[in-house]
């Protein structure tokens, strides 16, 4: 039987990087095929080439045995491919139906036939069990639904080969399970699924076959049934990896951060979260779990001083900082690793040293009466680069020249280098590879063991479970649970995250 | 409309000796050295007839006497300085400056460069240096005559002016126009609107809208005092059916049947005459040109009236009145107030 | 000027290539080459035109005039760049200059006393007035969420109207035929330095301003903070920089510089405030282009300001002597900016065939640190 | 007083002032929808006016003038599209530079081509005729105001609902808005953001070119240096004020034109020119303040945030 897809010698060079190096890959019809690899291994690049988003420098692609040459996504779509991107590619102000039918709009007399497009989208959704309201506007929908919309887009175009790039990164376990059901159902209708992930557990439970990429090369092609996570990880990194989770230490001290009755308003004038009360003590990591959009991000922004609170109070080491400015908070001992490291945590066009300085530009160590001590600033930057193993060029070069992982290291290094007693870390490892995750987890734990207090928000439940001393769960703007990680499972937390336990929070 | 058919040179109003022709006998005093002249305008010449005529006069002397002439067009204050200084650097026989805009620089540079001769047209400093000679006009006399025409012709008894800028200088046009009209019929109402904006002397679009809005208010005679902007007023005259008046040269051909007459300003003749006088060393510090000297005038009294395409040509009775008024002004029996000096 | 790069270098083609690969150098060459073509097509001699332009800009009174006109150009460029560097698109330089100019003029005209006192006082008055005017759009953005880009632009027209009204109805000198204030008394005029035949002392002032800006950006906390705000507002807020206050602050600085330059234009150049004169000169816009060409770098502003001033003064000479309209200098200025903004480089032409690869370009910076 | 101010002639003058602004603003709006920040309308309009006069003069036929005007607008728009879309240059920088370039180049070419400086008027220049619609144009007040336009005047009016229909009811419009909102999303569905952005910028070149043609062959029959005199910037403001919605952009253009027409009229009634000149800009500022609710996207665009 001809394979659904065959890649031969795909090569792609970006300025300075060989992203794909003569990759061969065969995907059989009707299989779920996982593609794994560290950050920057070239997964997204390969999929983008496959989907016609940019041309390969060399190599060929065969779909059902036919050589194809895609010059745009359109060609790929016409050849029966569909792709769900790592970052959703949806139009926020348009409806679900408009998003789905985009470019394949049903028309009558030249105008878009809206009722027809709603009907068709509804039909497809129903056929594959994807519950979505076609008339809803995208920006009002939760991520789990957005994912379904993305899949709908591919199915509406009758994609036979579906590419999913890290589809589970933002999902709750429940949503993830639902997604897996959908994927299996699709396979059972004869479709072929290409599935990118960093989570080896997902590879094991879902895929039939797995391709491992490393440094732009395909280094292994394995039958899932014949392998195990350790072997995959070994192929990914080229060395042995200890996948065991670290047990959290437990000797909390004084309360460092105290939040009482805090509420704030979100983007559209809605209450983003209400009456949040909790504390974080020294020597503990408090994890906040929740589906994106349930107020975690706004809560953290409020604590960090980027969003004004409506009511309630925040105190740091006993001092009230409810209305304090950001710099006051920082000098009072707050460090903050924001969720959006590209837009908030770093400034792409600014230099490496400028990025390593921010938040402390007024520290006496770096300036006197408004005049910079440039030597001190440079030395500080160099020492951070060394301590945190940041791979970067000269410290005067723009930080945009760094890779995602190194960028995150810049943020983490900066935030951990000032001995602040409180570290707020939002999605500290999102999108990072195993080695980078390991590094950051290690730093967090060391920080905690040194008496630091950590408030961590993560969509990664395994991470929350592995690191936290206590787990707060947020749902619909409220903290609905305060859990002991040794007594709950991922699935258990997931239930709180979806509001199933609304009436029985134990916190 | 480059001014080469400007009426001034061919002949002047019958009432006086034409200045250009008096200065004409150059053959008798042919200079040994070729002369050199530099004409500095404060703004791009564009379709500003006034500035163009200054160039024409300068050129004519240079051509006749044998010599060179150049025009330096400025755009703003510092380029004016740059141009005047560049002109001085070249040390021509005379640097010719035009308009009130340059009067202060004329004063400054003439005092700083006593060996360089200057001419300034249109205005004069209080105490001009001996090497600076001024030629000024009594534009209000011509405007007054146009007013007389409007006074007779206006049926609505409402007249007005579309004026480039709201500056005292232009009162010599719009106020004297009103005064002339009111000398015929004291009940005539007058209004003046100003073009202003970035391009007061060449913004026909604004001029047109302003003229149309005056017309909508019932005015039937509108004086266009906007140099390059005048085209807009004339277009409006055709659309909204009123009569208009032009300035500086005979503008009647640009809207035949719509333009009554023009406040002629014979800049070329005056420039020519002044240059000749300076070259010959006969120029006084200030020379004023009005109806009597043939420096200003109207087409109604011009020999080319018949071919002028001006509306006034169809009203011989009014021309007679105008003729009488002009004679009165020349002999002093009629005094036209100078709005600039009370 | 274009030829200097290619001809006067006695070195290898590779060095020329290296120079050409610098976007600004390339853009200059590109603009002058196109200008050459334009002049050629109109039947004039481009070489002669350019040499007249160069001569007119740097010889005789031309040099003094180039330096003189560079004062407002550099000043306005600096004012714009201060705002641009912190991400504030201030198109209101003209209004700030006009309002400051009138205030400075009035102080210079009506304050008795020695020049040592009146001149600085006029500068301060001009600066304060310019700053006050600049605060309107600043607060419009921070309080009412109206983009400065648009309000500052609209307020230019309002500034012109208000100052025109004040001059026409309150401070009119009726001894002249313009809508103008009285003349600035001799004693209150900006002195000239005894160099290049008398260049206004204001040139020293703008050089000092440039130096201050350079030091502030390179070595101070405030300089760092404004630049961070300009590069990424969310990042700056996260780093404890108060972007709103910053916006008002840089607008005040920009307005102050604008007002000082406006005052200079009156007490150091025209000696009276004539309605509309500061506007028709287009100096604020030239300053804007200079800031863009210099990528908001203070020292580069000095260089680019002199270049554009020379282009304008030289353009007049070109018109005088080579019969090529000074408008060509305007075209050249625009072409340089278009080429720089489109990031045309020698390399681009070479790589043209393969096409730009995805992700090759970061969005262009208004101000690169 | 009231009767003196408001009459059919005022409305006619308002519509006359509005048509070029509206045409340019509709183009700017299309760009805004496609995610291109467009402030080069001033230059496109000026180039369009120049070329329109040139074309009409050459052929003694206004149709060719309009065609030339469009071509000139498109030429400038191609430079903008190349710079901003292909080279990802800063649209503000490019817009300002292109405006200056149009001013300089038309000023340079005017004497070269026509041998005049400042203004070019000639009887060979064929103006756009007004085409009164029989019957309708006789309706008092409304008739002469609305049904006695040049072809471009009618076009401007028809384009308002026309563009609305295209933007919000057709596939092309949906794709254009999608490109403006999330270019990556559009691209992954096979809609080329580059093509659509080019299309939008070229469309605005066409419309601004038409605006210039209307100005130089409809409102007047001549070319003057810098004759767009700020109308392109007004169009930019109209796009913002109208939040890139066709009917609101129409309203904003109308508001400005009305304030301008009223200003001319008030001057005739004795108000100083300085005040009446500022009126349209003051009215626009006030309207901006009144409609300030959300300029957030715009703020993000213009503050580099
Ligand atoms: N547009 C681009 N321009 C330049 N370099 C790029 C671009 N996209 C990717 N790269 C580089 O190509 C390499 C492969 O990147 P790619 O995004 O394919 O990795 P990935 O395996 O998807 O990583 P991740 O797990 O982080 O998603 C990286 O080194 C990256 O720096
Ligand atoms: N436009 C670009 N120009 C140059 N390099 C780029 C560009 N976009 C991305 N890169 C490089 O590609 C690499 C990967 O980019 P990407 O944004 O996918 O980051 P990442 O490592 O996958 O992290 P994350 O997934 O969290 O964003 C980085 O090295 C980044 O510097
Ligand atoms: Mg990826
Ligand atoms: Mg990635």
């Amino acid at each position: 039987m001809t394979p659904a897809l065959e890649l031969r010698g795909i090569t792609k060079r970006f300025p300075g990087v060989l992203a794909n190096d003569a990759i061969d890959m065969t995907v059989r019809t009707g299989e779920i095929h996982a593609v794994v690899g560290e950050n920057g291994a070239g997964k997204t690049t390969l999929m983008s080439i496959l989907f016609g988003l940019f041309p390969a420098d060399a190599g060929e692609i065969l779909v059902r045995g036919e050589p194809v040459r895609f010059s745009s996504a359109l060609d790929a779509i016409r050849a029966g491919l569909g792709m769900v991107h790592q970052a959703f590619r949806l139009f926020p102000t348009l409806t679900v139906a408009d998003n789905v039918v985009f470019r394949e709009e049903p028309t009558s007399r030249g105008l878009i036939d809206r009722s027809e497009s709603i009907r068709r989208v509804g039909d497809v959704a129903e056929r594959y069990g994807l519950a979505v309201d076609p008339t809803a506007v995208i920006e009002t929908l939760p991520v789990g639904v957005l994912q379904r919309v993305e899949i709908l887009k591919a199915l509406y175009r009758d994609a036979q080969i579906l590419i999913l790039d890290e589809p589970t990164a933002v999902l709750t376990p429940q949503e993830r399970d639902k997604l897996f059901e959908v994927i299996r159902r699709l396979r059972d209708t004869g479709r072929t699924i290409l599935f990118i992930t960093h989570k080896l557990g997902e590879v094991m439970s879902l895929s039939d076959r797995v391709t491992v990429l490393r440094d732009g090369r395909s280094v292994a092609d394995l039958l899932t049934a014949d392998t195990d996570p350790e072997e995959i990880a070994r192929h990914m990194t080229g060395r042995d990896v200890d996948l065991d989770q670290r047990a959290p230490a437990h000797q909390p001290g004084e309360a460092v951060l105290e939040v009482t009755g805090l509420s704030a308003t979100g983007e559209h004038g809605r209450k983003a979260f209400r009456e949040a009360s909790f504390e974080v003590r020294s020597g503990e990591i408090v994890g906040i779990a929740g589906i994106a959009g349930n107020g975690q991000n706004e809560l953290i922004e409020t604590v960090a001083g980027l969003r004004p609170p409506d009511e309630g109070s925040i105190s740091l080491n006993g001092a009230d900082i409810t209305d304090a400015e950001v710099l006051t908070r920082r000098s009072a001992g707050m460090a903050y690793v924001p969720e959006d490291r590209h837009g908030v945590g770093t400034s792409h066009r600014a230099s490496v040293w400028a990025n390593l300085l921010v938040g402390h530009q007024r520290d006496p160590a770096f300036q006197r009466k408004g005049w910079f001590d440039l030597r001190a600033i440079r030395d500080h930057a160099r020492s951070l680069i060394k301590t945190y193993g940041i791979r970067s060029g000269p410290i005067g070069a723009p930080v945009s020249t760094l890779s995602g992982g190194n960028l995150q290291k810049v943020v983490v290094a900066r935030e951990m280098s000032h001995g602040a007693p409180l570290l707020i870390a939002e999605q500290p490892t999102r999108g990072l590879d195993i080695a980078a995750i390991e590094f950051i987890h290690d730093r967090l734990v060391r920080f905690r063991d040194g008496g630091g207090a950590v408030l961590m928000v993560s969509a990664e439940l395994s991470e929350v479970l592995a690191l936290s001393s206590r787990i707060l769960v947020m749902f619909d703007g409220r903290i609905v649970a305060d859990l002991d990680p040794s007594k709950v499972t991922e699935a258990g937390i997931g239930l709180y995250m979806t509001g199933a336990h609304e009436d029985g929070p134990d916190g | 409309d480059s001014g080469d058919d400007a009426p001034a040179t061919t002949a002047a109003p019958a009432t006086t000796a034409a200045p250009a022709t008096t200065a004409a006998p150059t053959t008798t005093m042919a200079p040994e050295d070729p002369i050199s002249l530099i004409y500095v305008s404060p703004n791009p010449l564009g379709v500003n007839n006034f500035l163009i005529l200054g160039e024409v006069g300068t050129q004519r002397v240079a051509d006749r006497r044998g010599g060179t002439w150049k025009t330096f067009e400025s755009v703003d204050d510092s380029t004016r300085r740059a141009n005047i200084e560049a002109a001085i650097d070249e040390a021509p026989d005379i640097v010719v400056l035009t308009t009130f805009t340059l009067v202060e620089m004329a004063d400054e540079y003439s005092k700083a460069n006593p060996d360089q001769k200057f001419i300034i047209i249109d205005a004069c400093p209080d105490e001009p240096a001996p090497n600076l000679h001024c030629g000024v006009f009594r534009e209000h006399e011509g405007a007054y005559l146009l007013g007389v025409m409007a006074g007779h012709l206006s049926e609505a008894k409402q007249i007005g002016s579309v004026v480039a800028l709201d500056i005292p200088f232009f009162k010599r046009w719009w106020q004297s126009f009103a005064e002339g009209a009111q000398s015929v019929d004291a009940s005539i109402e007058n209004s003046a609107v100003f073009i202003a904006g970035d391009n007061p002397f060449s913004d026909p679009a604004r001029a047109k809208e302003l003229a149309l809005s005056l017309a909508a208010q019932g005015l039937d005679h509108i004086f266009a005092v906007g140099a390059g902007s005048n085209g807009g007023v004339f277009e409006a005259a055709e659309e909204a059916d009123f009569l208009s008046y032009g300035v500086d040269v005979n503008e009647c051909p640009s809207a035949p049947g719509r333009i009554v007459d023009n406040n002629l300003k014979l800049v070329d003749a005056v420039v020519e005459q002044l240059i000749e006088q300076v070259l010959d060393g006969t120029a006084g510090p200030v020379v004023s040109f009005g109806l009597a000297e043939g420096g200003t005038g109207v087409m109604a009294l011009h020999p080319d009236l018949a071919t002028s395409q001006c509306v006034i040509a169809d009203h011989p009775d009014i021309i007679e009145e105008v003729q009488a008024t002009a004679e009165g002004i020349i002999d002093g029996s009629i005094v036209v107030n100078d709005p600039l000096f009370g | 000027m274009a030829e200097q790069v290619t001809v006067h270098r006695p070195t290898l083609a590779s060095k020329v290539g290296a120079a050409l690969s610098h976007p600004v150098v390339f853009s200059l060459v590109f603009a002058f080459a196109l200008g050459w073509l334009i002049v050629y097509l109109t039947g004039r001699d481009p070489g002669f035109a350019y040499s007249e332009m160069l001569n007119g800009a740097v010889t005789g009174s031309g040099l003094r005039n180039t330096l003189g006109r560079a004062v407002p150009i550099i000043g306005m460029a600096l004012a714009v760049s201060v705002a641009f560097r912190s991400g504030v698109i201030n198109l209101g330089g003209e209004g700030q200059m006009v309002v400051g100019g009138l205030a400075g003029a009035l102080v210079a005209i009506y304050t008795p006393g020695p020049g040592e006192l009146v001149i600085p006082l006029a500068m301060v008055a001009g600066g304060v007035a310019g700053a006050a005017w600049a605060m309107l759009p600043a607060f419009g953005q921070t309080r009412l969420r109206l983009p400065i880009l648009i309000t500052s632009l609209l307020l230019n027209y309002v500034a012109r109207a208000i100052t025109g009204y004040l001059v026409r109805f309150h401070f009119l000198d009726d001894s002249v035929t313009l809508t103008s204030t009285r003349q600035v008394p001799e004693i209150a005029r900006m002195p000239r330095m005894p160099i290049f035949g008398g260049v206004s002392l204001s040139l020293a002032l703008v050089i000092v301003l440039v130096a201050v800006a350079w030091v502030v950006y390179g070595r101070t906390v405030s300089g760092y903070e404004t630049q961070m705000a300009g590069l990424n507002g969310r990042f700056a807020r996260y780093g404890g920089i108060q972007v709103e206050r910053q916006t008002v602050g840089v607008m005040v600085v920009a307005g102050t510089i604008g007002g000082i330059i406006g005052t200079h234009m009156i007490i150091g150049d025209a000696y009276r405030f004539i309605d509309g004169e500061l506007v028709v000169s287009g100096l604020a816009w030239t300053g804007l282009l200079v800031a863009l060409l210099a990528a908001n770098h203070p020292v580069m502003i000095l260089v680019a300001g002199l270049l554009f001033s020379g282009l304008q003064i030289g353009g007049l000479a070109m018109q005088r002597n080579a019969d090529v309209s000074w408008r060509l200098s305007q075209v050249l200025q625009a072409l340089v900016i278009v080429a720089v903004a489109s990031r045309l480089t020698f390399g681009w032409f070479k790589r043209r065939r393969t096409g730009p690869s995805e992700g090759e370009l970061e969005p262009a910076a208004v101000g690169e640190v | 007083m009231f009767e003196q101010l408001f009459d059919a002639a005022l409305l006619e003058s308002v519509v006359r002032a509005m048509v070029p602004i509206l045409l340019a603003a509709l183009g700017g709006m299309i760009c805004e929808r496609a995610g291109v920040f467009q402030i080069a309308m001033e230059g496109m309009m000026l180039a369009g006016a120049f070329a329109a006069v040139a074309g009409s003069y050459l052929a003694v036929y206004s149709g060719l003038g309009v065609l030339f005007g469009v071509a000139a607008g498109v030429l400038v728009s191609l430079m903008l599209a190349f710079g901003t879309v292909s080279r990802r240059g800063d649209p503000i920088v490019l817009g300002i530079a292109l405006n200056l370039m149009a001013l300089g180049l038309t000023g340079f070419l005017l004497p070269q081509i026509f041998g005049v400086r400042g203004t070019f008027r000639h009887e060979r220049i064929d103006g756009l005729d007004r085409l009164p619609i029989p019957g309708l144009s006789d309706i008092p007040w409304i008739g002469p105001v609305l049904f006695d336009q040049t072809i471009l005047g009618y076009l401007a009016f028809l384009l308002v609902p026309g563009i609305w229909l295209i933007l919000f009811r057709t596939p092309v419009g949906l794709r254009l808005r999608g490109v403006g909102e999330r270019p990556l999303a559009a691209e992954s569905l096979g809609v080329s953001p580059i093509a659509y952005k080019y299309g939008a910028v070229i469309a605005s070149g066409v419309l601004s070119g038409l605006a210039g043609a209307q100005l130089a062959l409809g409102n007047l029959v001549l070319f003057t240096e810098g004759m767009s005199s700020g109308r392109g910037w007004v169009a930019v403001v109209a796009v913002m004020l109208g939040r890139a919605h066709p009917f609101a952009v129409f309203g904003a253009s109308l508001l400005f034109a009305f304030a301008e027409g009223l200003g001319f009229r008030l001057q005739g009634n004795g108000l100083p020119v300085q005040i009446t000149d500022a009126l349209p800009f003051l009215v626009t500022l006030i309207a901006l303040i009144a409609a300030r609710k959300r300029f957030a996207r715009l703020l993000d665009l213009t503050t580099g945030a």
Side-chain angles (χ1 to χ4, degrees), chain A residues 63-64 178 358 464:
Chain A
V63 176
R64 285 178 291 276
K178 253 187 248 164
V358 89
V464 174

Side-chain angles (χ1 to χ4, degrees), chain A residues 39-40 44 86 166 341-342 399-405 430-432, chain C residues 358-362, chain D residues 88:
Chain A
N39 286 126
T44 301
Q86 193 169 344
E166 295 192 37
R341 57 175 167 269
H342 296 286
V399 83
S400 61
T401 54
L402 270 59
S403 75
R430 171 176 288 176
L432 297 190
Chain C
E358 190 69 18
E360 179 197 357
L361 302 163
E362 277 273 310
Chain D
R88 300 193 207 168

Side-chain angles (χ1 to χ4, degrees), chain C residues 14-345:
Chain C
S14 67
K15 279 217 169 177
V16 176
L20 272 177
S21 70
H22 191 280
V24 172
V25 175
F26 178 81
S27 297
L28 284 169
V29 173
F30 173 80
F32 276 88
L34 262 184
W36 185 286
L37 190 70
I38 292 172
V39 174
Y40 179 79
L41 288 178
T42 61
R44 308 293 200 301
D45 176 358
F48 181 59
Y50 280 171
S51 75
E52 283 304 315
M53 185 187 258
L54 185 64
N55 273 328
V58 302
T59 61
S61 62
L63 181 60
R64 181 180 60 239
N65 283 310
T66 297
L67 291 174
R69 198 175 176 81
V71 170
I73 292 177
I74 293 170
M76 293 316 293
L78 199 61
V80 162
S81 74
V82 166
F84 277 14
R85 273 213 164 200
S86 59
V88 177
I89 310 289
N90 171 26
L91 299 186
E94 190 173 286
Q96 291 143 26
M97 181 164 136
V98 168
V99 168
L102 180 61
L106 294 180
V107 168
I109 292 168
Y110 293 104
T111 313
E116 292 79 14
L117 197 80
V118 177
I119 293 172
L121 206 64
M123 287 290 189
V124 169
V128 169
W133 190 253
M135 273 159 75
L136 294 177
F139 282 123
Q141 179 159 309
T142 58
R143 302 267 165 89
L144 302 176
R145 314 268 304 145
L146 299 177
I148 284 180
L149 170 80
I150 214 69
T151 50
S152 63
L153 182 75
L154 289 172
L155 282 168
N156 286 342
Y157 298 93
V158 180
R160 163 126 197 233
I162 291 176
T163 53
Y165 182 86
L166 286 175
V167 172
R168 168 70 179 76
F169 292 102
H170 294 284
F171 301 104
L172 191 69
D173 178 357
D174 41 23
S175 76
V176 292
T177 53
L178 298 161
T179 307
S180 154
T181 63
R182 278 166 43 192
Q183 265 203 324
V184 175
E186 208 96 21
I187 194 161
R189 295 183 186 177
M190 195 56 132
R192 293 182 174 274
M193 301 182 288
I195 46 166
F196 305 119
V199 179
S200 172
L201 186 60
S202 305
L203 183 64
L205 180 72
V206 294
I207 291 175
V208 169
L209 286 177
V210 164
V212 168
W214 188 54
V215 171
V216 165
Y217 286 129
R219 334 211 96 225
T220 68
V221 178
S222 323
Y224 170 83
E225 291 191 340
T226 54
Q227 291 176 89
M228 289 305 121
L231 289 177
N232 179 350
R234 289 163 70 210
F235 171 76
R237 260 183 212 107
Y238 157 80
I241 296 161
Q242 289 171 319
V243 178
E244 257 83 50
R245 205 179 289 175
Q246 194 89 254
T247 301
V248 177
V250 298
M251 283 300 282
V252 165
V253 174
T256 305
I257 300 176
I260 286 177
I261 295 302
T263 305
H264 154 77
M265 289 304 290
I266 308 304
I267 71 171
D269 196 87
Y271 304 138
R272 6 169 128 252
F273 185 94
I274 304 168
D275 178 30
E277 241 350 280
L278 291 182
V279 176
V280 298
S281 65
L283 288 169
W285 290 99
T286 307
L288 189 90
L289 294 180
V290 163
L292 299 175
L293 178 63
N296 299 310
H297 190 288
V299 177
M300 291 311 293
I301 281 175
L302 206 60
V303 177
L306 285 168
L307 174 74
F308 272 32
S309 175
L311 269 178
Q312 296 190 348
I313 296 294
L316 287 174
M318 178 180 71
Q319 166 159 324
R320 287 194 300 260
N321 303 327
D323 194 27
V324 174
S325 166
W326 60 274
R327 292 280 188 188
L328 184 71
S329 344
Q330 235 174 17
V331 176
L332 291 177
Q333 292 167 45
L335 276 174
V336 174
I337 302 292
V338 169
V340 170
S342 302
R343 285 176 283 196
L344 291 188
T345 58

Side-chain angles (χ1 to χ4, degrees), chain D residues 13-298:
Chain D
S13 130
V14 167
V15 169
R16 206 163 35 234
M18 184 192 69
V19 169
I21 295 172
L22 178 62
L23 282 168
L26 287 173
M29 179 191 75
I30 293 174
C31 288
E32 175 75 15
R33 286 282 174 185
V36 180
F37 191 54
Q38 217 305 26
I39 59 170
M41 277 100 84
E42 177 81 9
M44 293 179 180
M45 205 192 282
L46 186 61
F50 180 83
V53 163
S56 180
Y57 172 82
L58 279 180
V60 203
Y61 170 54
S62 58
L64 191 78
V66 172
L67 217 64
F68 268 47
V70 167
V74 167
L75 209 65
V76 181
S77 74
L78 283 174
M79 287 190 249
L80 179 69
F82 172 75
T84 58
V85 182
S86 299
R87 304 294 303 155
R88 300 193 207 168
D90 187 305
I92 296 176
V93 177
L94 277 161
I96 290 172
L98 287 173
N99 289 341
L100 181 76
M101 177 138 88
L103 182 66
L105 208 55
T106 53
F108 182 83
L109 291 178
L110 186 64
Q112 295 297 338
I113 298 180
F114 300 113
V116 300
R117 284 168 294 204
T119 297
F120 180 54
R121 261 168 77 92
H122 201 284
E123 62 267 27
R124 277 179 62 101
I125 305 173
D126 175 34
L128 285 167
D129 294 328
R130 295 224 215 143
L131 310 167
I133 299 178
L136 291 177
S137 61
D138 298 330
I139 305 172
W141 285 68
I142 301 185
V145 174
L146 292 183
F147 301 111
D148 186 15
Q149 300 290 326
T150 64
I151 180 100
L152 297 183
Y154 292 119
L155 182 70
F157 282 116
L158 292 178
L159 277 175
V160 176
I163 293 182
W164 175 83
L165 197 72
I166 293 172
L167 272 182
F168 297 105
R169 289 288 179 268
T170 66
V172 170
L174 178 68
R175 295 169 198 175
L176 184 90
R177 287 182 291 137
V179 162
E181 198 170 329
R182 285 291 142 90
L184 275 180
E187 192 174 10
S188 67
L189 292 175
V191 171
S192 159
I194 292 186
Y196 271 79
K197 286 182 179 193
Y198 260 87
V201 175
I202 291 170
S204 94
V206 170
L207 288 169
S208 295
L210 289 176
Q214 167 66 22
L215 200 61
L217 298 178
N219 289 14
L220 295 157
V221 187
L222 49 77
F223 177 81
T224 313
E225 283 186 22
M227 77 184 292
S228 50
S229 51
R231 287 180 182 82
W233 285 105
V234 170
V236 172
V237 179
V239 174
M240 292 183 182
L241 195 54
R243 302 254 203 91
H245 193 286
F247 295 114
V249 167
F250 172 76
S253 310
L254 186 63
L255 179 74
F256 186 92
F258 183 76
E260 193 182 68
L262 194 64
F264 289 141
R265 194 51 74 82
L266 284 171
Q267 219 202 112
N269 282 267
L271 229 60
V273 57
Q274 292 83 1
I275 292 176
T276 59
D277 263 13
L279 192 67
F281 302 98
L282 280 173
V283 167
T284 308
L285 272 170
I286 292 166
L288 273 170
I289 294 171
R292 69 180 179 275
K293 267 159 279 166
R294 246 178 291 144
F295 288 104
R297 191 184 114 65
L298 194 75

Side-chain angles (χ1 to χ4, degrees), chain A residues 138-233:
Chain A
I138 290 297
E139 60 191 356
T140 64
L141 298 174
V143 265
V145 179
L146 298 184
Q147 182 111 55
R148 273 175 255 159
V149 177
E150 284 283 13
I151 296 172
L152 257 183
K153 277 162 65 179
L155 297 178
Y156 175 83
R157 289 165 176 76
D158 200 25
Q160 292 303 313
I161 303 169
L162 195 60
I163 306 165
L164 299 153
D165 193 353
E166 295 192 37
T168 58
V170 290
L171 300 186
T172 62
Q174 282 77 12
E175 284 172 332
R176 182 193 59 202
D177 293 345
K178 253 187 248 164
L179 174 68
F180 285 1
E181 268 171 47
V182 171
I183 291 176
R184 290 198 184 97
R185 202 175 309 141
L186 290 173
R187 175 189 54 192
D188 298 343
T189 63
R191 289 181 166 78
T192 309
I193 284 100
L194 260 165
F195 178 87
I196 300 178
T197 183
H198 287 294
K199 298 172 190 169
L200 301 186
E202 293 177 358
V203 175
M204 299 312 295
S205 70
L206 187 66
S207 70
D208 303 311
R209 187 178 273 277
V210 50
T211 295
V212 184
L213 300 186
R214 183 168 82 226
D215 292 340
R217 263 184 259 240
S218 168
V219 291
D221 182 1
L222 313 163
L223 266 176
T224 311
D226 299 344
T227 185
D228 56 49
E230 279 73 21
E231 189 192 358
I232 298 175

